[in-house]
Amino acid sequence: MSNTLESSLEADKTHMHMNRSSRGFAMGDMVFKWTALFFALVVLLLLAGIIIMLAKGSVPAFEAFGWGFITLEDWDPVNEIYGAWAALVGTLVAAAIAMLIGLPLSFGIAIFITEMAPQWLKRPVGTAIELLAAVPSIIYGMWGLFFFAPWFAAHIQPGLVATLGPLPLIGGLFQMPLLGGASGVSVLTAGIVLAIMIVPFMASVIRDVFEIVPPVLKESAYGIGATTWEVVWNVVLPYTKTGVVGGVMLGLGRAIGETMAVTFIIGNASQLGSSLLEPGTTIAAKLANEFNEADGLQMDALIAMGLLLFIITFIVLMLSKLLLMRLAATQEGRKT
Amino acid sequence: MQLYARRKLINTVNMTASVLTTLLGLLFLAWILAVLVGKGVSAINGSLFTEMTPPPGSAGGLANALIGSLMLTVTAVVIGTPIGIMAGTYLAEYGRGGAFAEIVRTINDILLSAPSIIIGVFVYAMMVAPQGHFSGWAGAVALAIIVIPVVLRTTENMLSLVPTQMREAAAALGAPQWMVIMKVVYKAAITGMVTGVILAVARITGETAPLLFTALNNQFWTLNMNEPMANLPVVIFQFAMSPYDDWRELAWAAALLITALVLGMNILARTLTRGHK
């Protein structure tokens, strides 16, 4: 009897002890949870801060030029007239060239790694491509300026001018510029170097997306006699299309916002050239070149261009995110 | 039979194209690395690590840029890692499935791919313009903003891979949630989290654009984070674009150093995660 009483007293004591320490634990829990929440909020505030700062900084430029700022082609520091059009078009054209060249290349590499390469080759090739994606963009810029652009100007450019130049419609894009044609510094070479830079990145993303296709699907297609290409075209691509588009948009986002690779090669001309072989500029390159020396209205105009760049990449990235999320959703739907 | 031949032909053509594109990709990798090694190795010598960046037309080294890059990187990691880890912890442990977590995740993905030059402009407007001068601190903050999304993403992914049973087992022993996270979940996911930090360091090692308007450059040796600070990427940019041979040679040496560092860290991160599996 006394024994049981004693043990129940004992139990009570430990219970009380636990209560006290569990209250301490609860405090710790609160502190930890709120700290984590606070830092999650910091991420939101960062984005909000970026948007607010850019918007605030670009008010004077939009006040001075109105919405016409976007479509104004002049960039004239002497007369204080600034428009974003030349850089905006340059950004889009360079990104378009990069996608035009980069897309087929990325698909080819992703198909090779997932469908064709023997097992022992998959890993090394995949690793090499991923390492190429990790090389800092300034290295691509240097290599492009000192090696690729001169080589392109000497060996590819004359052929391009001779074959595509006389064509109707697109011929104007391939006219030899009056000055500086030999250095290879142009919108076209910048776009090509941009393509070489985003290919490894897009190829890795597309490969990852391709790899989620259940082997059973592919095996049944092979089983009824489909060729590798037919499997890719009729099974893999339909299954992964949203993911592939999402990955491609990620690459496009990169191409639009890339600074260093482009700044080295595009030549930083303020005017919009009619030929792709002429130098041009992009928003990012213009910022990199002029921001530090700018003041007054020129600085405001540059910040306003930064805002434009951010809005464009924001839209592209949101689209890509939505598509990738939809792929994940169909994935889960299929599993159950 | 004719149909069969046609299908075979299409297949051969497309698959050959696929092999060719891969070869082309690898060719560019080889070309870029060959250029870096060819131009960089001859420029690397002892004075690189002992002498300052020179004025145009004379020889020198990269000592001030190396120490500057080191300080900027370390500061950025010290600022960015805790934020990234705690925010990632929130998403994986507390916010799973919630709308708030989904928003933070989306915003984080946008920060992850936002043009880095925009981050430079942002930090310029936030720190450099009000303070009236470029500084190492501004550069470190800009790099930290790049570190945060990388660390957040990997942390969240790695924590999500930890089996729920481990959390339940620890909770059943009476451990409160924060202790479960600190002592069980983090312990299980530590390799992956370290990998995330290494990848973040690799990413900021070569970042140039956000430093152009923040840390800028400095011709002299300084450990003062309140002053403009020399760093390898901006030195590469300025020296490579210059007409002076000495400067260009230093730029190639710095480019080789940076690429070797970045690739080394990527390979290290890879071996870490592979050993873990």
Side-chain angles (χ1 to χ4, degrees):
Chain A
M1 176 76 192
S2 69
N3 224 351
T4 30
L5 186 71
E6 223 163 83
S7 69
S8 86
L9 270 177
E10 198 80 339
D12 254 15
K13 245 187 240 163
T14 39
H15 191 70
M16 274 166 63
H17 179 72
M18 255 186 60
N19 246 347
R20 202 176 313 137
S21 68
S22 73
R23 216 174 300 137
F25 280 170
M27 265 295 284
D29 251 352
M30 286 286 283
V31 171
F32 194 83
K33 186 178 176 179
W34 284 101
T35 322
L37 178 65
F38 171 76
F39 284 124
L41 277 171
V42 166
V43 174
L44 292 190
L45 289 179
L46 265 181
L47 186 81
I50 292 175
I51 294 172
I52 292 170
M53 277 301 193
L54 288 177
K56 219 175 78 183
S58 43
V59 166
F62 280 104
E63 268 175 359
F65 305 109
W67 290 107
F69 170 73
I70 298 173
T71 51
L72 184 63
E73 207 189 308
D74 299 317
W75 186 269
D76 184 355
V78 179
N79 297 315
E80 292 264 292
I81 294 172
Y82 304 104
W85 191 245
L88 188 64
V89 172
T91 306
L92 298 179
V93 169
I97 296 172
M99 297 309 280
L100 215 59
I101 298 168
L103 263 184
L105 286 179
S106 321
F107 270 105
I109 294 173
I111 292 171
F112 177 80
I113 296 176
T114 50
E115 302 301 324
M116 292 185 71
Q119 205 58 40
W120 58 270
L121 200 60
K122 272 187 189 185
R123 195 151 189 152
V125 174
T127 310
I129 297 295
E130 277 170 33
L131 287 183
L132 193 54
V135 171
S137 60
I138 191 167
I139 306 295
Y140 284 94
M142 269 180 98
W143 166 79
L145 175 65
F146 292 115
F147 289 87
F148 182 75
W151 174 83
F152 186 85
H155 299 285
I156 309 284
Q157 197 162 293
L160 269 185
V161 174
T163 51
L164 298 177
L167 292 180
L169 291 176
I170 61 162
L173 295 175
F174 297 96
Q175 293 304 318
M176 199 60 147
L178 295 173
L179 286 169
S183 66
V185 165
S186 70
V187 177
L188 182 61
T189 39
I192 296 174
V193 171
L194 211 46
I196 296 167
M197 204 196 91
I198 59 169
V199 158
F201 174 75
M202 286 200 298
S204 317
V205 177
I206 296 175
R207 180 204 57 186
D208 291 345
V209 173
F210 277 1
E211 268 172 0
I212 63 166
V213 178
V216 175
L217 280 185
K218 290 195 278 186
E219 280 157 14
S220 31
Y222 281 123
I224 55 168
T227 62
T228 314
W229 172 251
E230 285 163 350
V231 170
V232 170
W233 191 250
N234 298 313
V235 178
V236 176
L237 271 180
Y239 190 90
T240 54
K241 70 181 171 256
T242 43
V244 166
V245 178
V248 169
M249 299 287 264
L250 269 184
L252 176 62
R254 277 210 166 181
I256 290 174
E258 174 51 38
T259 311
M260 298 323 290
V262 174
T263 307
F264 272 91
I265 310 156
I266 202 161
N268 306 304
S270 289
Q271 255 78 46
L272 204 56
S274 62
S275 162
L276 292 179
L277 301 175
E278 284 175 48
T281 194
T282 67
I283 294 180
K286 207 162 188 64
L287 283 168
N289 273 304
E290 296 186 17
F291 197 80
N292 275 341
E293 275 95 51
D295 51 13
L297 195 54
Q298 188 180 0
M299 170 73 89
D300 303 328
L302 286 171
I303 294 182
M305 282 164 72
L307 180 67
L308 287 180
L309 175 65
F310 191 70
I311 292 172
I312 297 172
T313 43
F314 189 93
I315 293 170
V316 170
L317 293 173
M318 280 307 275
L319 279 176
S320 118
K321 174 94 186 159
L322 282 176
L323 290 167
L324 287 171
M325 264 163 57
R326 207 197 288 171
L327 175 77
T330 47
Q331 267 286 97
E332 261 159 41
R334 274 185 180 134
K335 251 184 230 157
T336 49
Chain B
M1 199 57 211
Q2 207 184 0
L3 173 72
Y4 185 63
R6 202 172 141 247
R7 285 173 53 202
K8 246 179 118 175
L9 182 70
I10 292 178
N11 187 51
T12 317
V13 168
N14 284 319
M15 291 303 121
T16 315
S18 156
V19 175
L20 287 179
T21 53
T22 311
L23 285 177
L24 195 64
L26 296 176
L27 178 82
F28 279 117
L29 177 66
W31 188 2
I32 292 171
L33 290 183
V35 161
L36 272 176
V37 172
K39 281 279 185 180
V41 166
S42 61
I44 286 188
N45 52 48
S47 59
L48 216 56
F49 303 96
T50 52
E51 287 180 34
M52 305 301 125
T53 47
S58 57
L62 297 165
N64 51 339
L66 283 165
I67 192 74
S69 268
L70 184 69
M71 288 185 68
L72 290 174
T73 307
V74 170
T75 317
V77 170
V78 168
I79 300 173
T81 307
I83 301 179
I85 287 186
M86 286 310 279
T89 305
Y90 182 84
L91 296 192
E93 300 293 324
Y94 296 100
R96 226 183 263 184
F100 175 70
E102 195 48 53
I103 293 170
V104 174
R105 202 170 291 129
T106 308
I107 301 290
N108 189 65
D109 279 356
I110 286 171
L111 282 178
L112 193 65
S113 327
S116 56
I117 194 151
I118 296 292
I119 291 168
V121 174
F122 168 60
V123 175
Y124 178 91
M126 208 179 62
M127 291 178 72
V128 177
Q131 288 169 354
H133 61 88
F134 298 98
S135 72
W137 286 118
V141 168
L143 293 182
I145 295 177
I146 296 171
V147 168
I148 293 170
V150 180
V151 173
L152 192 161
R153 232 253 176 99
T154 37
T155 303
E156 196 210 343
N157 287 345
M158 291 304 144
L159 297 189
S160 306
L161 288 180
V162 177
T164 321
Q165 287 92 321
M166 285 178 75
R167 297 190 183 84
E168 288 169 354
L173 289 175
Q177 196 173 2
W178 67 279
M179 237 176 196
V180 175
I181 294 171
M182 297 276 279
K183 303 226 157 138
V184 179
V185 182
Y186 280 174
K187 218 168 232 175
I190 189 73
T191 331
M193 290 160 71
V194 171
T195 308
V197 176
I198 296 176
L199 286 177
V201 174
R203 168 95 197 266
I204 59 173
T205 303
E207 275 293 351
T208 317
L211 294 175
L212 286 174
F213 324 139
T214 53
L216 198 64
N217 199 353
N218 194 331
Q219 223 184 309
F220 307 103
W221 175 273
T222 179
L223 298 176
N224 184 354
M225 296 280 286
N226 263 321
E227 290 176 19
M229 205 164 218
N231 56 84
L232 287 173
V234 176
V235 166
I236 295 179
F237 182 49
Q238 290 188 347
F239 282 18
M241 294 292 248
S242 79
Y244 313 109
D245 284 342
D246 291 323
W247 274 19
R248 282 194 185 173
E249 197 159 306
L250 278 175
W252 282 112
L256 178 61
L257 278 182
I258 277 193
T259 312
L261 275 174
V262 170
L263 294 187
M265 280 186 277
N266 271 282
I267 291 167
L268 175 68
R270 242 157 224 294
T271 38
L272 269 181
T273 39
R274 198 188 304 168
H276 196 56
K277 274 175 199 163

